[in-house]
Amino acid sequence: MSNNAAGGDARAPMNEQAVANIYGNMRSDINQLYSKITELEMEVSEHSLVIGAISPLDQSRKCYRMIGGVLVERTIKEVLPAVQRNKEGLQEVITRMNEALERKKKEMAEFETKYKIRIRKSDEEVKDDSSRKEASAQGVLVGPANE
């Protein structure tokens, strides 16, 4: 959608509002990709935890798996390969999404250069950045290990 608008060399020059709208859409697309990649990476992490937890167990042991909202009883021997396949599939999707993200970022950089776009930080964003640095400097409180 924004590819056609961004590559509009054959058309008449765009006004500032049109450029701003296209640029906003590009930023929105990139943010959506970032959030989806993060979500999928969390799922991969969960799959890794499950694989790590059930791999050393007896293969004939019963376990439960959620399939389409229904909890079904299976054995580890049946579930483990499926979880591993799902994890690999998620990793492939993440790889493709990262490639798409890089293409979008490159397209956005070219658009910024073409229309001489510069981003100014507002006072609120500057304050948010400083509070994020303070928050990241704080540690995580963990309870005693002997519970």
Side-chain angles (χ1 to χ4, degrees):
M1 104 179 135
S2 59
N3 286 346
N4 294 339
D9 290 336
R11 293 187 355 212
M14 290 188 270
N15 64 19
E16 282 186 34
Q17 187 62 43
V19 171
N21 288 342
I22 292 168
Y23 187 72
N25 288 339
M26 290 174 145
R27 287 183 64 149
S28 175
D29 290 347
I30 287 174
N31 287 336
Q32 288 174 352
L33 276 171
Y34 270 125
S35 63
K36 191 63 179 176
I37 288 169
T38 302
E39 179 184 328
L40 291 175
E41 285 173 343
M42 292 294 289
E43 284 193 40
V44 167
S45 175
E46 290 174 8
H47 278 69
S48 295
L49 288 173
V50 170
I51 290 168
I54 67 175
S55 289
L57 301 175
D58 179 24
Q59 296 292 302
S60 62
R61 184 172 172 169
K62 290 180 186 177
C63 68
Y64 296 90
R65 180 175 182 212
M66 183 74 71
I67 300 177
V70 178
L71 196 62
V72 295
E73 184 178 309
R74 299 278 189 245
T75 63
I76 291 177
K77 182 179 181 181
E78 295 170 320
V79 170
L80 187 58
V83 174
Q84 289 169 332
R85 277 192 309 275
N86 287 351
K87 179 184 171 190
E88 290 167 5
L90 286 169
Q91 288 171 326
E92 288 176 22
V93 170
I94 290 171
T95 301
R96 286 196 305 265
M97 290 184 86
N98 276 322
E99 291 168 358
L101 178 64
E102 290 306 312
R103 284 192 304 272
K104 290 271 187 191
K105 285 166 56 175
K106 183 179 178 186
E107 177 184 325
M108 189 166 141
E110 290 170 357
F111 192 80
E112 287 173 350
T113 303
K114 180 177 177 179
Y115 291 100
K116 299 176 179 77
I117 297 173
R118 294 208 176 111
I119 304 300
R120 281 184 265 154
K121 282 193 174 185
S122 67
D123 291 340
E124 290 179 20
E125 288 177 353
V126 172
K127 289 177 186 174
D128 286 347
D129 286 347
S130 64
S131 67
R132 282 188 203 131
K133 289 176 187 170
E134 290 172 11
S136 66
Q138 297 175 359
V140 175
L141 184 59
V142 179
N146 58 358
E147 289 184 28

